[in-house]
Amino acid sequence: MIRNGVYFALVIGCTATVASGQPDSALSSGSWLGLGAGMGVSLVSVTDVADYINERSFQYGRQDDFTVAIEFYCAPQFRIGEEIGLKLEFAYLLRSYNIPQSSAPDVIFSFGVLMPTAIVQYLIIEHGYTVKFGGGAGYHVATFTEEYVPGEQRYTSSGIGLKLEAESNVSFDDHLSGAVVIDMRDDIAGEFKAADGSKLHILNKDKDASMNFFSLGLKFGLMYYF
């Protein structure tokens, strides 16, 4: 599920971060290895999760299908050609919902998605900055947790995740650069299942919930070239 017009937004968002007149980077000088890490926010469409929570919190207001989640990432990057790179990203997406109850402690719903992704990048390397456009895929694993008194229930889901991104690195010195990443994800996952085989069932729609989602993200971090 790729949204029309997002490619243009990726290009504009990335190039807007580029600044000239910075120190030369190790990548410009021929470095073939880098390590990046950072965090940011993603606007995530999680329809099944919202529908499940809304069945249990309708008296306190409806949760929107779109929500804001926190994302952390760490990503070694390898230059495998003059203009081609390979990025191995390990990212984690996290969101929680605190739902009050009329005569009991709050119920906390949360989901987390572990998202390893292999991304092929096209590199535009200039003095002091680098722009990278990439796309890739990975096998992602999601966990949905429902915490209540006196315990909790945990469900898992997994499937293929697709990603497009634009990244800009602006050099601080010969090795360290700042990083700004704009990305788009489309995850196609299976139904949530608990350890005992039970599923996360949405009564109003008579269906089992999955972790299919679409997201747009903005992240900031650091990039170190060896």
Side-chain angles (χ1 to χ4, degrees):
M1 180 175 59
I2 304 300
R3 300 308 199 253
N4 292 332
V6 176
Y7 301 100
F8 180 75
L10 290 175
V11 174
I12 294 300
C14 184
T15 55
T17 65
V18 174
S20 59
Q22 299 296 320
D24 202 1
S25 69
L27 185 61
S28 303
S29 304
S31 173
W32 291 79
L33 175 62
L35 179 64
M39 65 176 294
V41 295
S42 293
L43 180 64
V44 187
S45 174
V46 281
T47 302
D48 283 0
V49 169
D51 287 342
Y52 179 81
I53 294 174
N54 284 333
E55 286 189 344
R56 290 148 181 80
S57 63
F58 63 91
Q59 68 270 39
Y60 297 103
R62 185 182 185 279
Q63 301 295 326
D64 292 332
D65 291 348
F66 280 91
T67 188
V68 175
I70 299 174
E71 183 174 338
F72 304 90
Y73 76 92
C74 178
Q77 299 186 22
F78 309 89
R79 187 175 174 184
I80 57 179
E82 289 301 317
E83 298 180 338
I84 302 298
L86 175 64
K87 179 179 182 179
L88 302 179
E89 181 182 70
F90 300 89
Y92 188 73
L93 189 70
L94 177 65
R95 173 70 164 94
S96 64
Y97 306 78
N98 196 316
I99 307 301
Q101 304 295 304
S102 57
S103 58
D106 295 354
V107 176
I108 300 174
F109 300 96
S110 62
F111 67 80
V113 190
L114 181 62
M115 303 180 294
T117 308
I119 301 166
V120 177
Q121 299 174 313
Y122 174 72
L123 310 177
I124 302 173
I125 303 172
E126 300 292 344
H127 176 75
Y129 68 87
T130 304
V131 180
K132 309 169 185 178
F133 298 96
Y139 190 77
H140 298 173
V141 178
T143 302
F144 181 85
T145 304
E146 185 175 352
E147 300 179 50
Y148 49 86
V149 176
E152 70 172 31
Q153 183 66 281
R154 185 181 298 268
Y155 302 84
T156 58
S157 170
S158 59
I160 300 298
L162 307 176
K163 179 178 180 180
L164 292 176
E165 71 170 21
E167 177 179 344
S168 175
N169 298 156
V170 179
S171 301
F172 297 147
D173 58 31
D174 290 345
H175 295 278
L176 185 64
S177 297
V180 179
V181 183
I182 299 174
D183 62 29
M184 176 177 63
R185 295 184 183 274
D186 187 21
D187 269 42
I188 307 167
E191 297 171 345
F192 281 109
K193 294 182 180 179
D196 61 4
S198 60
K199 297 183 179 181
L200 198 67
H201 192 69
I202 306 171
L203 293 176
N204 289 341
K205 294 191 174 181
D206 192 24
K207 62 174 290 189
D208 295 320
S210 70
M211 194 56 201
N212 293 340
F213 72 89
F214 174 81
S215 71
L216 295 172
L218 173 64
K219 293 181 285 294
F220 299 91
L222 294 174
M223 187 75 196
Y224 187 87
Y225 293 106
F226 294 91

